[in-house]
């Protein structure tokens, strides 16, 4: 007994005629139909494997719902489970969540937890202690047995991690960094203003003045500094921006 040698092709299925002799073997008439069906099956399997691969998964015959997962992934634009994507709505799409640092059940969100731990995806999962200490941009292992935690990215700008440490040194993946501006220093001594037309400009302004000097009508002025007189200011430092929602798929 020998197995069929199938070929990946979609061909018509031959119908035996009354004149065909029943003959076995690789090219025997009685094996034509099963051989053609085997070829079709091989062709279908290739298409399925291609779809699964296009969704970022590794074909695995033991995962019975893998094709369904792949189709759902492709229908959502190829967004892999657990991987960030931008969403232009005020609520996440079906099957997705926003990154709010939420604790999740490993049982309820089993597919997501498996995706995070899939070596092919190479997603960093840290301890919850490290997450709470400031690495809020990573997934955490939660309590280590029943839960895990999502990254928390709310109102923050994303910065590409400098894995070389040459620019943004002393940083680790997923670490939070509070807002700051480069320091600016300066000083102004007693300013004698002999001409009223020489007024401070930009962020500088006169806050008070002392009386006349004996040799003229000049004033001694006190100068303060306020950037809001020159540029847009707020309670935080930020560039121009547009607010979108950052989401991840969990199924």
């Amino acid at each position: 007994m020998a197995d069929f040698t199938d070929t990946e092709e979609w061909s018509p299925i031959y119908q035996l005629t009354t004149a065909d002799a029943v003959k076995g073997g690789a090219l025997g008439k009685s094996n034509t139909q099963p051989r053609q069906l085997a070829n079709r099956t091989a062709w279908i399997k290739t298409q399925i494997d291609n779809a699964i691969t296009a969704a970022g998964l590794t074909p695995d015959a033991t995962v019975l719902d893998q094709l369904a997962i792949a189709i759902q992934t492709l229908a959502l634009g190829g967004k892999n489970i657990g991987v960030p994507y931008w969403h232009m709505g005020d609520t996440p799409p079906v099957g997705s969540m926003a990154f709010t640092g939420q604790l999740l059940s490993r049982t309820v969100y089993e597919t997501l937890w498996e995706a995070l731990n899939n070596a092919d995806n190479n997603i960093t999962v840290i301890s919850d202690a490290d997450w709470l200490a400031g690495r809020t941009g990573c997934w955490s292992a939660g309590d280590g047995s029943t839960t895990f935690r999502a990254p928390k990215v709310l109102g923050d700008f994303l910065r590409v991690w400098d894995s070389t440490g040459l620019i943004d040194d002393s940083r680790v993946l997923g670490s939070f960094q509070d807002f700051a501006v480069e320091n600016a220093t300066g000083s102004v001594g007693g300013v004698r203003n002999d001409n009223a037309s020489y007024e401070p400009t930009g962020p500088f302004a006169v806050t008070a003045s002392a009386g006349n000097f004996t040799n003229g009508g000049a004033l001694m002025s006190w100068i303060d500094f306020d950037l809001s007189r020159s540029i847009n200011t707020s309670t935080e430092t930020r560039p121009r921006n547009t607010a979108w929602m950052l989401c991840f798929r969990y199924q």
Side-chain angles (χ1 to χ4, degrees):
M1 183 180 72
D3 295 332
F4 280 112
T5 301
D6 49 44
T7 303
E8 297 173 13
E9 63 180 18
W10 191 270
S11 59
I13 304 300
Y14 179 78
Q15 177 176 287
L16 292 172
T17 69
T18 56
D20 289 328
V22 177
K23 182 180 179 181
L27 300 178
K29 284 290 185 180
S30 58
N31 281 329
T32 298
Q33 291 173 318
R35 182 175 61 252
Q36 291 170 332
L37 290 172
N39 291 344
R40 285 192 173 194
T41 301
W43 183 89
I44 292 172
K45 183 180 184 302
T46 297
Q47 307 311 308
I48 291 174
D49 286 349
N50 289 342
I52 292 173
T53 301
L57 304 173
T58 301
D60 185 347
T62 65
V63 181
L64 301 182
D65 62 345
Q66 192 173 45
L67 177 59
I69 294 172
I71 291 173
Q72 187 176 45
T73 298
L74 295 172
L76 290 171
K79 305 175 185 69
N80 293 334
I81 293 177
V83 176
Y85 71 91
W86 292 110
H87 174 57
M88 298 175 65
D90 54 10
T91 57
V94 174
S96 296
M97 295 183 189
F99 288 95
T100 62
Q102 61 271 50
L103 273 174
L104 302 170
S105 166
R106 297 188 184 187
T107 302
V108 176
Y109 298 100
E110 181 180 5
T111 301
L112 172 59
W113 178 241
E114 289 178 352
L116 297 178
N117 288 278
N118 186 329
D120 291 339
N121 294 334
N122 198 25
I123 296 175
T124 298
V125 179
I126 63 175
S127 71
D128 209 48
D130 286 343
W131 194 98
L132 294 172
R135 294 185 66 184
T136 52
C138 288
W139 292 92
S140 96
D143 64 5
S145 59
T146 63
T147 65
F148 62 105
R149 191 188 299 271
K152 183 178 181 181
V153 187
L154 297 172
D156 297 329
F157 292 93
L158 297 178
R159 182 173 188 172
V160 176
W161 178 45
D162 176 18
S163 58
T164 67
L166 298 177
I167 299 173
D168 189 22
D169 60 351
S170 302
R171 293 291 299 281
V172 292
L173 181 70
S175 58
F176 173 78
Q177 188 177 57
D178 209 348
F179 73 88
V181 295
E182 288 187 89
N183 192 26
T185 61
S187 63
V188 177
V191 178
R192 176 169 173 161
N193 187 357
D194 291 310
N195 189 324
S197 64
Y198 297 157
E199 294 295 329
T201 60
F204 298 96
V206 175
T207 58
S209 297
N212 294 337
F213 290 91
T214 57
N215 61 344
L219 299 175
M220 180 68 75
S221 299
W222 284 262
I223 309 297
D224 75 352
F225 182 89
D226 188 344
L227 278 174
S228 66
R229 299 189 181 104
S230 301
I231 60 174
N232 295 332
T233 60
S234 182
T235 57
E236 62 180 0
T237 302
R238 61 174 183 259
R240 291 178 57 182
N241 64 87
T242 299
W244 285 359
M245 180 179 288
L246 191 63
C247 297
F248 64 90
R249 285 188 51 233
Y250 60 82
Q251 64 180 22

